[in-house]
Amino acid sequence: MKRHSHICNTILINLKRKMKTIKLLSILAVSASLMVGCSDDDPVTPPSSKFDLEINGQDDFDPKDLKGNVNADITLKAGVEYLLSSSLRVKEGKTLTIEPGTVIKCKAGGTDVYVAVERGAKLEAQGTALQPIVFTSDAISPRLGDWGGIVIAGKAKTNKGAEAETEVAGLKYGGTQDDDNSGTLTYVKAEYTGAKINGDQEFNGFSFYSVGSNTTINNLFISNGADDGIEFFGGTVNVTNVMCVNIKDDMFDFTGGYTGTMNNMFGVRENGFNDATEDPRGIEGDSNGSDPAALPVSTPTIKNVTILNLSSVTALKAGAEIRRGTYATVDNALFAAYGDATFGNLIDTKDDKGNGSLTITNSYKMGTVGDNKIGGEIDGTVIEDTEAITADGDNLTVKAGRGADFTEFTWTGYTLKK
């Protein structure tokens, strides 16, 4: 019995020793794994690992890699560094709020870098004169077309069909709700926009597709755009105080049955700005090139507008081209070519896809501005005023009552120079 007991004790001691050895080896193995996982070259949890393309809450996105579908109400805050790295799409029923003073840098060189707001979603970008909201390129040497722009779709009418699709960003737009509300844009700057996908798909600074009249849009500044400054595709929204500086194509554009009012619009091509498409215009207005009688017909009202060319190299094709079924009303316009700059035509209402018609009152021209090209009716005359714009050294001044009120754009910090 004693011998048997001794043998058992020996076996138990050996088993305990082996178990301790196995446990020690396991601990060492786990420790080694953790040390490898925690090395500087391979962090355990990459900083952006919790972020993906679906933004489901305020803490569900990386400010320095801003992109994705906005599936919740979120706010971009002043003082935070943001980089828009790809498309940011606000989904139906959700609101993207941007605080006054927020700066959003946009990754240069990508046609997929833009902000899109779906039908039924809202963008609440309420800057102030002292703290505007700024969208700009992140490039060290920024250029026209570095990124896309801002695209908003609404539920108001368009003559492109009950449910059309935007030229860029793939949003559905249109409907019957002319008083639709897509939010607020006020005191917002958009710089270096207009990325080009192909000949038929180009971003503008701001693109409003069937946006309704309860949307608030005022005090916008668009500079160095590779396509249009601002364009309306149908819709009923009214806009006030919009400035476009150095736009490669058209400054102010509308199509698709737009019936809103544009008030106090100032567009200028600077001396030395020589980038231009084949046919840059101050105002380009279409209704429907396939069917000029399609309803609703574009019948915008444009009040207090200045189209100024200072570039001696590239002429504007026209101060205003009103075509393809459009019936526009213009009051208090100034079409001016200063110095050696020129316009091809003053007003053009002739087009192979349908003429347009224009009623114009209390309006003026200055400098080498071409004649009207008449297709549809032009009701009214444009008076010549050789002193509508005067120089004081290098600075230019627009006479009061001639076109847009330039003082409304003091908040931009922009100075008009010859």
Side-chain angles (χ1 to χ4, degrees):
M1 292 293 294
K2 290 183 179 179
R3 177 178 175 82
H4 178 72
S5 177
H6 175 74
I7 292 171
C8 289
N9 289 335
T10 302
I11 292 172
L12 286 171
I13 290 169
N14 289 335
L15 284 173
K16 288 179 179 179
R17 287 175 177 172
K18 288 181 179 180
M19 289 177 69
K20 288 180 179 179
T21 301
I22 292 170
K23 186 175 181 180
L24 179 60
L25 289 173
S26 298
I27 292 171
L28 290 172
V30 171
S31 298
S33 176
L34 289 173
M35 289 177 68
V36 171
C38 293
S39 70
D40 291 338
D41 296 331
D42 186 17
V44 173
T45 305
S48 61
S49 66
K50 71 172 184 174
F51 305 115
D52 56 27
L53 295 179
E54 302 298 326
I55 300 174
N56 297 313
Q58 182 64 39
D59 298 323
D60 201 24
F61 62 94
D62 183 352
K64 295 185 179 180
D65 189 19
L66 182 60
K67 61 186 178 184
N69 293 320
V70 179
N71 302 315
D73 295 345
I74 65 169
T75 299
L76 303 186
K77 300 180 179 181
V80 176
E81 293 183 9
Y82 291 101
L83 176 65
L84 183 67
S85 58
S86 188
S87 61
L88 186 69
R89 184 175 180 130
V90 187
K91 304 296 287 184
E92 181 179 2
K94 306 307 176 186
T95 299
L96 171 63
T97 300
I98 305 177
E99 291 184 346
T102 301
V103 176
I104 301 168
K105 293 187 177 180
C106 305
K107 188 175 181 180
T111 56
D112 61 343
V113 180
Y114 57 86
V115 176
V117 181
E118 291 186 351
R119 283 187 302 190
K122 289 184 178 181
L123 174 60
E124 293 291 344
Q126 300 187 42
T128 68
L130 295 178
Q131 293 183 299
I133 293 166
V134 180
F135 290 83
T136 191
S137 170
D138 77 328
I140 295 174
S141 300
R143 299 183 300 176
L144 283 68
D146 266 354
W147 65 288
I150 298 170
V151 183
I152 300 179
K155 300 178 181 179
K157 294 186 186 75
T158 175
N159 61 33
K160 298 297 185 180
E163 185 171 78
E165 184 171 312
T166 58
E167 180 180 306
V168 292
L171 302 181
K172 298 295 183 183
Y173 72 97
T176 60
Q177 192 174 332
D178 283 345
D179 62 351
D180 189 29
N181 184 353
S182 295
T184 305
L185 285 89
T186 183
Y187 295 103
V188 180
K189 294 183 177 183
E191 303 171 338
Y192 306 105
T193 61
K196 180 176 179 178
I197 299 172
N198 56 47
D200 298 318
Q201 293 178 291
E202 298 170 318
F203 286 91
N204 306 303
F206 293 91
S207 300
F208 299 107
Y209 286 86
S210 291
V211 173
S213 59
N214 279 337
T215 308
T216 300
I217 302 175
N218 58 60
N219 296 294
L220 303 182
F221 179 81
I222 307 104
S223 65
N224 297 294
D227 195 46
D228 299 333
I230 184 171
E231 184 165 4
F232 304 88
F233 299 81
T236 56
V237 67
N238 304 313
V239 298
T240 304
N241 298 340
V242 179
M243 187 173 196
C244 290
V245 178
N246 292 346
I247 304 300
K248 187 174 181 178
D249 197 30
D250 308 317
M251 298 170 181
F252 311 108
D253 200 344
F254 60 85
T255 186
Y258 174 62
T259 58
T261 296
M262 293 184 275
N263 184 20
N264 212 57
M265 318 290 280
F266 196 107
V268 56
R269 292 177 61 87
E270 293 179 322
N271 188 11
F273 178 71
N274 303 324
D275 287 319
T277 61
E278 293 180 358
D279 48 9
R281 305 173 180 93
I283 301 169
E284 181 182 274
D286 298 346
S287 189
N288 190 310
S290 300
D291 180 7
L295 298 176
V297 170
S298 291
T299 55
T301 298
I302 304 170
K303 300 188 298 184
N304 308 312
V305 57
T306 295
I307 306 299
L308 173 59
N309 189 20
L310 303 176
S311 173
S312 60
V313 175
T314 55
L316 284 171
K317 184 179 180 183
E321 185 153 344
I322 306 299
R323 60 185 187 179
R324 300 176 184 175
T326 297
Y327 288 82
T329 300
V330 174
D331 182 62
N332 187 25
L334 171 62
F335 302 98
Y338 187 85
D340 294 329
T342 61
F343 285 25
N345 297 113
L346 178 60
I347 298 167
D348 183 354
T349 59
K350 185 176 179 60
D351 190 84
D352 292 341
K353 295 182 179 181
N355 297 328
S357 296
L358 174 69
T359 297
I360 187 165
T361 54
N362 305 313
S363 294
Y364 307 88
K365 64 180 179 180
M366 175 183 169
T368 307
V369 176
D371 296 328
N372 293 336
K373 185 177 180 181
I374 301 175
E377 182 178 358
I378 300 176
D379 182 11
T381 59
V382 179
I383 303 166
E384 186 167 4
D385 184 348
T386 59
E387 297 182 351
I389 296 178
T390 55
D392 181 9
D394 288 335
N395 294 330
L396 297 177
T397 300
V398 183
K399 184 189 293 186
R402 300 295 187 260
D405 181 358
F406 188 77
T407 64
E408 291 290 341
F409 303 103
T410 302
W411 67 273
T412 67
Y414 182 78
T415 302
L416 194 61
K417 294 185 177 295
K418 65 182 182 181

